Amino acid sequence: MSRLIVVSNRVGLSRDVGGGAVGGLSAAITAALRQNQGVWFGWSGETTPQYTGKLSLDRVGDVTVAKVDLEPQDVEDYYNGYANNTLWPLFHNRLDLTNFSRAYASGYARVNQRFAEALRAMIEPGDTIWIHDYHLIPLAAELRKLGFTNRIGFFLHIPWPSRQLFTTLPGHEKLVAQLFDYDLVGFHTAEWLSALTGYLQAELGVKMGDDGIVEACGRKTRLQVFPIGINPADFAPENASEASIDAQRRTEKSLAGRQMIIGVDRLDYSKGLEERFRGYEQYLENHPEAHERVFMLQIATLSRDGVEAYQDMRNRLDAIAGHINGQYGSLDWVPLRYVNSGYRQDELAGIYRAARAALITPLRDGMNLVAKEYVAAQDPADPGVLILSRFAGAAAQMKAALIVNPYDQDEMAEAIQRALTMDLTERMLRWRELKAGLDAENLDHWWQGFLDTLAEQPRGDRRIMTVAGHGRRAVT
Ligand code: F6P
């Protein structure tokens, strides 16, 4: 069996391969690696005064975890900079927050070169390499420069922006060309894929075949949709751990007979938290009869606090939460409980179960696995209702949710009312449909589908040579 080398900015695999991985990306990669011998490589999350490229290696079951420290300037230019101040806001339609600093762009190029160099000694000829997310788009190009002809796949966990937005990025042509050094590029939804193909057609005059193989920038690659899933059994009530049962019990006790609406997100402007709070406020405004009988628990885990836009947003959210509680709260009722701590996956499952509705309303989101986790955690005999933004990638699959426009406060308020008053028959019907979707397109389906498709691609250098008199042909 060929080895799998996974590369992502963060390496989430801890000593315990089997459990507790936090975040969708790391849970997904952990699942893929658990069943494939291999290596997971990425940034340690630590800095070193001067970059050495020295790997810290750890062995967890069959998996080697390899991490490298970065210089503070790398973290500033690559992670806080190009990844989270340029690509992240741009790919989430926030041109107003996008910073096109050239120092960031060169930091991004530098760290990708450093990662390629650091990986060099680890790659063997038969290895399959799977690179994840927007931090690392140029990595295959760097590895090809070093002469590697291994199969290399890339998966984008965030949306791809429209052509009009993408072309504001200085060097957009180069970033796209770097995608064509992969043998397979995966997206969560057909919408993100078609944003890229729209760019390829309009800017590069590329003709799309219907086999998913695209020729552009002197290369051929396969572009395909693989919607990421979860493993529903990890959240199911029958598999609840002690910690999960305890979290459910504590949350239920705190309900004091009230209905709870849950929101769980990384604290990020793409998650639509301000709009969500406003929608909830509108609901409270419209429904005085619900006062004292409902509350919302918003868990917003702190994230990327080295980036100014995140600090600003945190301050605004603190103010809105304070305003809602000041305006509507009473001696023994806090209408909005807003917490910034993080919870383990199994604790979250217990908290999800105690909630009558989930309000998952990002303004733009590659997929959103919390929506799936909430559904998987429900009691089939008394399930809660999922309210989901039409702008989450998950909305393409989860059509039995109450789908809302997160910019429309009134629509959100109506959806909350509908969810909290929905009868058991409708809740069960909707839940069964959503759960069937989770089972069909689960986490194993995602990673196996991607790796099987990658294995089918011709191995090696995919340059298209121009042969005099014979047009272009692919060298595979
Ligand atoms: O899904 C997007 C993503 O950036 C992942 O790559 C990452 O694991 C997650 O969000 C958390 O982001 P960060 O590593 O910046 O905290």
Side-chain angles (χ1 to χ4, degrees):
M1 189 174 68
S2 84
R3 278 191 333 165
L4 176 64
I5 299 186
V6 172
V7 189
S8 60
N9 174 57
R10 282 192 198 273
V11 179
L13 190 85
S14 66
R15 303 214 125 265
D16 171 18
V17 187
V22 181
L25 187 147
S26 60
I29 294 174
T30 299
L33 275 169
R34 215 187 282 162
Q35 297 190 39
N36 292 275
Q37 287 180 3
V39 178
W40 191 351
F41 170 85
W43 174 37
S44 63
E46 304 294 329
T47 55
T48 179
Q50 198 159 20
Y51 182 75
T52 61
K54 192 170 168 304
L55 294 177
S56 76
L57 296 173
D58 205 359
R59 186 94 190 148
V60 188
D62 279 342
V63 178
T64 302
V65 179
K67 299 183 200 167
V68 69
D69 296 345
L70 291 175
E71 283 174 15
Q73 196 62 46
D74 288 339
V75 176
E76 191 45 33
D77 294 341
Y78 150 79
Y79 175 70
N80 288 333
Y82 201 76
N84 290 321
N85 246 313
T86 308
L87 294 182
W88 179 274
L90 184 64
F91 282 37
H92 288 86
N93 291 358
R94 292 300 303 266
L95 192 54
D96 57 320
L97 298 177
T98 304
N99 182 330
F100 294 118
S101 151
R102 295 292 156 109
Y104 292 169
S106 56
Y108 185 66
R110 180 174 70 246
V111 169
N112 273 276
Q113 273 161 15
R114 287 182 165 175
F115 277 8
E117 286 290 348
L119 271 167
R120 187 181 206 155
M122 274 187 296
I123 301 174
E124 291 167 13
D127 291 344
T128 295
I129 304 169
W130 191 4
I131 295 168
H132 291 262
D133 234 351
Y134 58 103
H135 315 82
L136 301 173
I137 294 172
L139 190 52
E142 295 301 332
L143 290 170
R144 300 289 186 219
K145 279 187 212 157
L146 297 177
F148 289 104
T149 57
N150 301 60
R151 285 195 185 90
I152 312 183
F154 176 77
F155 193 86
L156 183 71
H157 291 262
I158 66 173
W160 189 271
S162 69
R163 174 172 72 93
Q164 288 80 356
L165 275 179
F166 185 60
T167 48
T168 63
L169 179 70
H172 56 88
E173 306 88 344
K174 186 170 170 199
L175 198 72
V176 162
Q178 286 164 337
L179 283 179
F180 283 82
D181 279 300
Y182 291 94
D183 301 296
L184 174 64
V185 177
F187 300 85
H188 284 312
T189 69
E191 190 179 340
W192 314 147
L193 169 58
S194 76
L196 174 64
T197 56
Y199 170 93
L200 294 171
Q201 285 167 311
E203 297 290 320
L204 307 182
V206 170
K207 293 208 173 28
M208 296 296 147
D210 38 16
D211 58 355
I213 304 272
V214 181
E215 285 190 27
C217 314
R219 301 268 193 284
K220 288 208 299 188
T221 194
R222 175 178 284 278
L223 307 177
Q224 197 168 319
V225 173
F226 300 90
I228 198 169
I230 60 165
N231 182 6
D234 290 346
F235 297 86
E238 61 272 23
N239 299 328
S241 65
E242 264 313 304
S244 183
I245 293 167
D246 187 52
Q248 180 176 357
R249 203 180 293 133
R250 282 177 55 203
T251 314
E252 280 172 350
K253 200 166 155 216
S254 81
L255 298 179
R258 299 179 169 117
Q259 289 186 313
M260 177 170 94
I261 305 162
I262 184 82
V264 176
D265 304 81
R266 221 167 25 77
L267 198 149
D268 194 294
Y269 47 80
S270 64
K271 304 294 182 184
L273 296 173
E274 292 175 58
E275 290 76 2
R276 188 180 308 172
F277 285 3
R278 301 272 181 228
Y280 176 59
E281 185 179 6
Q282 188 68 55
Y283 165 77
L284 294 177
E285 174 74 27
N286 296 354
H287 293 280
E289 77 285 1
H291 294 190
E292 313 266 350
R293 302 172 64 181
V294 170
F295 72 93
M296 175 165 163
L297 170 62
Q298 175 63 55
I299 297 173
T301 316
L302 297 184
S303 173
R304 303 177 191 167
D305 49 8
V307 179
E308 206 181 310
Y310 288 74
Q311 297 155 3
D312 293 348
M313 189 199 163
R314 188 175 176 194
N315 294 337
R316 285 197 305 276
L317 285 172
D318 287 351
I320 304 173
H323 161 76
I324 292 176
N325 286 330
Q327 174 85 14
Y328 294 96
S330 67
L331 213 51
D332 61 354
W333 177 52
V334 181
L336 175 59
R337 293 189 202 167
Y338 173 52
V339 295
N340 293 133
S341 25
Y343 293 85
R344 286 170 25 167
Q345 179 181 287
D346 55 351
E347 290 174 320
L348 283 176
I351 299 169
Y352 292 143
R353 258 192 293 287
R356 172 43 54 92
L359 196 51
I360 312 293
T361 53
L363 306 180
R364 188 164 163 90
D365 209 340
M367 171 55 73
N368 196 298
L369 292 181
V370 171
K372 298 187 173 185
E373 293 170 0
Y374 175 75
V375 169
Q378 295 307 299
D379 173 358
D382 186 19
V385 179
L386 174 64
I387 304 170
L388 180 63
S389 162
R390 57 177 297 150
F391 303 119
Q397 295 168 295
M398 306 185 82
K399 297 198 177 357
L402 296 183
I403 302 291
V404 293
N405 171 4
Y407 294 96
D408 183 343
Q409 273 174 228
D410 295 305
E411 192 180 309
M412 287 224 271
E414 282 158 20
I416 293 172
Q417 170 68 1
R418 194 163 162 213
L420 296 181
T421 55
M422 192 179 284
D423 66 32
L424 180 62
T425 314
E426 183 177 353
R427 280 191 279 129
M428 286 173 75
L429 275 173
R430 287 178 180 273
W431 181 81
R432 281 193 200 127
E433 190 178 328
L434 291 169
K435 175 67 168 40
L438 298 188
D439 291 336
E441 294 189 293
N442 65 15
L443 185 52
D444 290 341
H445 180 262
W446 173 73
W447 68 260
Q448 276 167 357
F450 187 95
L451 290 179
D452 288 351
T453 309
L454 181 55
E456 285 161 12
Q457 304 314 303
R459 198 179 139 209
D461 188 345
R462 316 278 315 274
R463 268 173 303 180
I464 300 158
M465 308 281 283
T466 303
V467 181
H470 298 280
R472 285 142 66 91
R473 72 179 169 84
V475 177
T476 56

